[in-house]
């Protein structure tokens, strides 16, 4: 029997289950990081167990890799895969043009590398992630530890010339020490409130020495699947210009909590 889930988790599950139906045998699939992406991993693992779906998966973090392996998915590296058919991931924010802010789970570097190596990117989210203008969620940037404060100062000076409403920055911590990413870097969170020109900001940030990558995903996402707690899903395709609605059945959702494949 399916455990009691919050409306938010049901919305994430609905989006993830709908997205999992786009995966076919033989595909090479990028797996995102975060709570919504974790539902996707569980949905794919259930299809592997029950339908014999044969896929190869490239995770975007150590966390996702461990979950995928534990559920019996065939995990390979991006170098082994070469290119991917699709990446499915969550987002912290998305706008009407399907531009994103990502990096709340501190995996933005690997997420962007995997997404751009894919023929298409599908984002799964609940409706709370949709915004008129990006920026309410803090924008993460991954920076190398060497010269951290110098890099931070350059970022803050650069923001003076950008179309943003806030310019506060903070170093992301894990307990009492700076958080360390899978690549051995740190995360600076930029509290911008509103980003007027996201493409310009993304390009300018990456020109600062010490900045490895930023959490703005511009013109990368092809489709967003928005889930609701009642199982309704809306799929928006930016390339086709279409909006489709569907209803996800939670009746067999208990199979997501079964034993992992051997």
């Amino acid at each position: 029997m399916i455990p009691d889930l919050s409306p938010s988790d049901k919305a994430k599950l609905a989006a993830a289950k709908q997205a999992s139906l786009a995966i076919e045998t033989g595909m090479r699939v990028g797996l995102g990081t975060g709570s919504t992406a974790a539902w996707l991993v569980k949905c794919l693992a259930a299809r592997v167990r029950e339908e014999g779906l044969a896929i190869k998966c490239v995770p975007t973090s150590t966390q996702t890799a461990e979950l995928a392996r534990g559920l019996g998915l065939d995990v390979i590296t991006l170098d082994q895969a070469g290119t991917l058919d699709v990446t499915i991931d969550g987002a912290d924010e998305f706008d009407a043009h399907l531009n994103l802010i990502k990096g709340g789970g501190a995996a933005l570097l690997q997420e962007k590398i995997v997404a751009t190596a894919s023929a298409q990117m599908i984002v799964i989210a609940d409706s709370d992630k949709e915004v008129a203008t990006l920026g309410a969620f803090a924008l993460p940037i991954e920076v190398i530890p060497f010269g951290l404060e110098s890099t931070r100062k350059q970022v803050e000076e650069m923001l003076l010339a950008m179309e943003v409403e806030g310019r506060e920055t903070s170093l992301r911590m894990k307990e009492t020490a700076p958080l360390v990413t899978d690549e051995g870097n740190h995360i600076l969170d930029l509290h911008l409130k509103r980003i007027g020109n996201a493409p310009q900001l993304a390009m300018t940030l990456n020109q600062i020495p010490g900045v490895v990558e930023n959490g703005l995903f511009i013109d990368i996402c092809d489709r967003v699947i928005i889930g609701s707690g009642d199982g309704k899903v809306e799929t928006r395709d930016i390339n086709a210009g279409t909006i489709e609605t569907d209803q996800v059945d939670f009746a067999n959702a208990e199979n997501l909590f079964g034993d992992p494949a051997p």
Side-chain angles (χ1 to χ4, degrees):
M1 186 172 181
I2 183 172
D4 289 334
L5 298 176
S6 68
S8 176
D9 277 335
K10 286 182 178 178
K12 294 174 182 178
L13 171 55
K17 194 168 184 181
Q18 183 72 10
S20 73
L21 300 179
I23 306 306
E24 301 175 357
T25 285
M27 281 189 170
R28 294 158 296 178
V29 183
L31 303 177
T33 295
S35 60
T36 309
W39 283 114
L40 182 276
V41 175
K42 293 174 184 177
C43 289
L44 288 178
R47 289 195 62 200
V48 168
R49 288 195 304 270
E50 297 168 11
E51 303 173 26
L53 183 72
I55 57 175
K56 295 188 180 297
C57 301
V58 175
T60 55
S61 67
T62 300
Q63 175 187 4
T64 298
E66 291 175 350
L67 175 63
R69 289 193 185 98
L71 291 174
L73 292 177
D74 186 359
V75 172
I76 61 174
T77 68
L78 182 56
D79 286 338
Q80 289 172 325
T83 58
L84 303 176
D85 296 290
V86 61
T87 287
I88 305 177
D89 203 348
D92 299 305
E93 284 186 348
F94 68 90
D95 66 13
H97 304 289
L98 303 195
N99 292 320
L100 321 170
I101 285 182
K102 289 183 51 56
L108 64 97
L109 176 58
Q110 291 190 24
E111 287 174 334
K112 189 173 283 190
I113 291 172
V114 170
T116 55
S118 303
Q120 61 173 317
M121 181 189 190
I122 300 174
V123 160
I124 48 179
D126 58 74
S127 59
D128 290 342
K129 301 299 190 298
E130 183 173 12
V131 296
T133 305
L134 299 176
F137 191 92
L139 173 64
I141 60 173
E142 186 156 342
V143 297
I144 66 171
F146 177 81
L148 172 62
E149 288 306 316
S150 175
T151 301
R152 182 173 181 169
K153 182 178 180 180
Q154 290 185 65
V155 169
E156 291 173 345
E157 290 176 349
M158 178 274 296
L159 289 175
L160 294 173
M162 293 292 108
E163 296 178 43
V164 296
E165 290 185 3
R167 294 176 177 84
E168 179 185 351
T169 66
S170 61
L171 177 63
R172 194 178 301 184
M173 305 293 288
K174 184 176 182 180
E175 298 177 351
T176 59
L179 180 144
V180 178
T181 70
D182 280 352
E183 300 302 318
N185 299 315
H186 296 321
I187 297 288
L188 282 178
D189 287 312
L190 313 185
H191 305 275
L192 308 178
K193 299 181 181 178
R194 181 182 184 278
I195 300 172
N197 190 331
Q200 179 191 42
L201 179 60
M203 181 178 65
T204 306
L205 278 168
N206 283 6
Q207 293 176 346
I208 297 175
V211 175
V212 181
E213 190 51 83
N214 69 83
L216 286 166
F217 283 51
I218 308 297
D219 296 329
I220 296 175
C221 176
D222 298 283
R223 277 186 280 168
V224 62
I225 300 176
I226 307 165
S228 300
D230 60 1
K232 292 180 181 178
V233 291
E234 179 180 284
T235 301
R236 302 180 193 173
D237 189 314
I238 195 70
N239 300 312
T242 57
I243 299 177
E244 299 179 356
T245 58
D246 211 330
Q247 181 74 38
V248 170
D249 186 2
F250 291 132
N252 297 320
E254 66 271 10
N255 61 5
L256 303 181
F257 304 91
D259 294 332

